[in-house]
Amino acid sequence: MLDTDVIIVGFGPTGKVLAARLLEAGHRVAIVERWPQAYPLPRAIGYDHEARRIFYALGVGPDIDAISAPMGVYTWYNADWKVMIALDQMQESISGGAVGYSFDQPGVERILERRLEGQRELQRFTSHEAVAVRDLDGHVEVDIAPCDPDTGKVWDTERKTLCGRYVIGCDGANSIVRSAMGVPRDDLGFDEPWLVVDVAPKPGVTLDIPYSAQWCNPVRPTTIVPSGAVNRRWEFMLLPGETEDGISTSERVWELLSPWITPDQGSLIRRATYRFRSMLARGWRRGRMLIAGDAAHLMPPFMGQGLCGGVRDAWNLAWKLDLVLRGLADQALLDQYERERSPHIEAVIRISMELGRVICVSDPEAAARRDAAFFSGDLPPPPQFPPLCSGVIARTAEGKPQLAGGELMPHDVLEKGGERRRLDDLAAGGFVLVSTRPLDDPRLDLLGIVPVVLGADGWRDVDGRLTAWLERNRAIAYLQRPDFYGFGAISRAEDFSGLLDELEQALIVARSA
């Protein structure tokens, strides 16, 4: 029986980010994955500034930048190619850089895999299937067996057992870990079949197509977006009476593509049909078993947040697991993972669903009413991306989140004495206190909080994002969690001890629960 701290079933982007962060924190990790190497075909094609910030914190940001491109202006057109709305993904984000990016998923996964090469505490079981998962109170066991990913054949006679302190299911919509946990999933009410086609334009070919667009044509709602720095993706909604097999033949695919690209101009990389669904598991932890990414939630792709949601799950869970594994918090702290992530991802799913309902209109009269509403401006404002609303955040006497509590905090490059450092690099994966003056307390070391003082005698935030946040909110300091979300902020130095009391209580309560 092979022993480790955390067994990760599924080694897509969510599993890779989780493994990298846990290994960086000094823990032993075993991964189980049916594919021998990164899945070679594109699936997700976009990530946002928060995911990019995570990539940089893992030390792979520049490499991923090299195979990515800013998403540009995401434009929605009606059937007559009149602009309904244009969403600028190029604007500066609070994390630095653009709001959204297009990328090549296989390339990103290979970069993350290289980041894990040579890790002595990593056990890799690729070309293996998890066939059974058990929580035995003090530990978990996962039975694995060699498999052929192409045929699905499993050699059960060669089964062996992994033993660990926790198992995390990052194993997709059909998660065996979720099944072992016995938790239900809610269907939030979106289910539409689409054909997804990825194309590699041939060298020297320039296509006369929108860069990033939704063509809200009731005859055939269509998505046209970049897929990485070079390749292109089209998505076509299936119409009543069309079958997945019938629409995905090579001849039919090129017929659908013909208004934009021909076989002389590009090569098919992949064509596949998907049901764009909205699912949310209710119960992300059962004892020592947890789930993340598509094992916990599915959403329509219209916000480009599918991969981002899984990466956020991994980043949120990693720091909590780290504290538990090091004995600094009771495992009850892990219950805060779902309490924080589930409402957040549900809000994102519902925003994606609303966008999908605007796009997936196949009735001409309904489409005309929709278009008229857009062109008249008779629409509610675009929904805002949600903060965290519960979990490990400071609260007011009325129980509401304190200033900065649950808010994604800004990032910046810091400069002092000719030295330049990224804020997240200074934080080194822990809590960080950003302040305009020195604030001292012996619990800073105890709780692993890195102080960063801004001002003439401290660091200068090069783009001014940290200083601007403090000035705008009339605060002298804020405490940022390891996942870049705020714990709380203070306006007076005398409130600092109370803020630390709240953090200490959040962890101690969990430790003694």
Side-chain angles (χ1 to χ4, degrees):
M1 187 176 292
L2 300 171
D3 184 53
T4 192
D5 290 321
V6 179
I7 303 165
I8 299 174
V9 180
F11 206 46
T14 301
K16 287 179 171 71
V17 168
L18 180 60
R21 182 65 193 96
L22 290 174
L23 288 162
E24 189 177 65
H27 304 296
R28 300 170 300 158
V29 175
I31 60 97
V32 182
E33 170 58 49
R34 70 177 59 180
W35 295 97
Q37 54 195 3
Y39 189 72
L41 298 175
R43 289 168 290 178
I45 54 95
Y47 62 87
D48 65 9
H49 61 96
E50 187 180 347
R52 181 175 182 260
R53 186 172 175 180
I54 290 170
F55 295 148
Y56 265 87
L58 288 175
V60 295
D63 292 335
I64 291 178
D65 279 351
I67 59 170
S68 304
M71 189 63 78
V73 179
Y74 180 32
T75 308
W76 293 25
Y77 301 92
N78 76 346
D80 298 323
W81 292 100
K82 294 179 179 177
V83 175
M84 297 164 60
I85 190 171
L87 305 173
D88 184 6
Q89 301 291 295
M90 293 291 291
Q91 61 184 307
E92 185 78 3
S93 72
I94 66 167
S95 303
V99 171
Y101 297 82
S102 177
F103 76 122
D104 172 60
Q105 181 174 338
V108 166
E109 293 205 44
R110 286 190 289 270
I111 289 168
L112 289 169
E113 284 185 355
R114 288 198 297 271
R115 166 72 174 75
L116 297 170
E117 287 176 357
Q119 294 276 358
R120 295 176 57 186
E121 299 297 342
L122 175 64
Q123 301 177 69
R124 296 172 60 112
F125 297 95
T126 54
S127 298
H128 278 74
E129 192 83 57
V131 294
V133 180
R134 298 178 294 276
D135 183 349
L136 302 176
D137 295 329
H139 69 281
V140 293
E141 291 180 356
V142 179
D143 293 343
I144 65 173
C147 70
D148 182 333
D150 294 318
T151 64
K153 178 177 174 57
V154 175
W155 286 273
D156 202 47
T157 55
E158 299 180 36
R159 179 185 296 213
K160 55 190 168 189
T161 301
L162 305 181
C163 177
R165 296 172 66 182
Y166 293 92
V167 60
I168 316 298
C170 303
D171 48 342
N174 299 315
S175 170
I176 188 175
V177 178
R178 189 186 65 244
S179 295
M181 291 165 61
V183 298
R185 285 194 301 174
D186 286 352
D187 187 334
L188 301 183
F190 192 96
D191 187 353
E192 294 286 353
W194 282 64
L195 170 70
V196 178
V197 181
D198 288 286
V199 179
K202 293 183 178 179
V205 169
T206 300
L207 300 175
D208 184 19
I209 59 175
Y211 183 71
S212 179
Q214 291 289 346
W215 189 28
C216 302
N217 182 357
V219 174
R220 171 86 67 184
T222 301
T223 303
I224 306 171
V225 287
S227 179
V230 177
N231 297 334
R232 302 292 307 180
R233 170 169 290 183
W234 282 262
E235 298 172 355
F236 303 98
M237 192 176 88
L238 271 66
L239 304 179
E242 291 182 324
T243 65
E244 295 181 2
D245 289 340
I247 200 170
S248 58
T249 66
S250 179
E251 294 77 14
R252 183 65 177 128
V253 167
W254 280 115
E255 182 181 342
L256 292 168
L257 291 171
S258 60
W260 298 284
I261 189 170
T262 67
D264 293 336
Q265 296 174 302
S267 304
L268 293 180
I269 301 173
R270 185 189 193 207
R271 57 186 187 271
T273 53
Y274 290 93
R275 299 200 75 87
F276 292 168
R277 304 196 66 190
S278 54
M279 307 289 290
L280 183 63
R282 300 298 184 183
W284 294 23
R285 176 193 172 215
R286 288 291 183 270
R288 293 179 176 269
M289 302 185 292
L290 299 100
I291 51 176
D294 286 356
H297 45 77
L298 298 172
M299 74 177 75
F302 306 113
M303 280 186 70
Q305 284 290 316
L307 176 138
C308 298
V311 168
R312 282 190 189 89
D313 292 347
W315 207 240
N316 182 299
L317 179 57
W319 72 267
K320 295 179 174 66
L321 267 174
D322 174 46
L323 290 177
V324 172
L325 290 168
R326 289 194 288 134
L328 299 178
D330 185 87
Q331 64 174 329
L333 177 64
L334 300 177
D335 289 330
Q336 303 295 339
Y337 163 59
E338 180 179 8
R339 290 172 188 158
E340 292 176 0
R341 288 294 305 135
S342 183
H344 187 276
I345 199 71
E346 181 170 354
V348 174
I349 292 171
R350 292 192 182 280
I351 295 171
S352 299
M353 290 168 59
E354 289 307 308
L355 296 180
R357 290 191 176 106
V358 172
I359 294 163
C360 300
V361 175
S362 57
D363 176 73
E365 293 183 2
R369 291 192 297 271
R370 173 202 61 198
D371 297 354
F374 269 93
F375 295 138
S376 69
D378 185 22
L379 292 168
Q384 297 298 306
F385 208 81
L388 302 181
C389 57
S390 59
V392 184
I393 54 179
R395 297 189 176 277
T396 66
E398 295 77 26
K400 296 180 180 180
Q402 244 188 53
L403 176 64
E407 179 181 342
L408 179 65
M409 303 308 293
H411 185 264
D412 215 326
V413 174
L414 304 176
E415 183 178 60
K416 180 170 65 175
E419 179 187 10
R420 283 197 169 201
R421 298 284 302 277
R422 290 174 54 83
L423 171 66
D424 293 339
D425 293 342
L426 282 176
F431 287 88
V432 61
L433 176 71
V434 176
S435 65
T436 59
R437 66 191 72 175
L439 295 169
D440 194 27
D441 190 293
R443 289 173 294 178
L444 288 175
D445 288 337
L446 179 66
L447 297 170
I449 299 171
V450 176
V452 172
V453 180
L454 305 176
D457 298 325
W459 295 92
R460 179 179 70 89
D461 51 331
V462 172
D463 292 312
R465 280 186 288 269
L466 314 184
T467 301
W469 190 96
L470 290 166
E471 291 177 349
R472 184 170 63 251
N473 291 283
R474 298 181 181 179
I476 64 164
Y478 65 80
L479 182 58
Q480 177 181 296
R481 306 179 344 163
D483 56 2
F484 316 141
Y485 283 80
F487 175 76
I490 56 171
S491 300
R492 306 179 306 166
E494 51 264 40
D495 294 332
F496 181 48
S497 179
L499 185 66
L500 293 185
D501 287 345
E502 289 204 56
L503 177 62
E504 197 171 32
Q505 182 182 17
L507 300 178
I508 290 173
V509 166
R511 197 181 305 165
S512 60

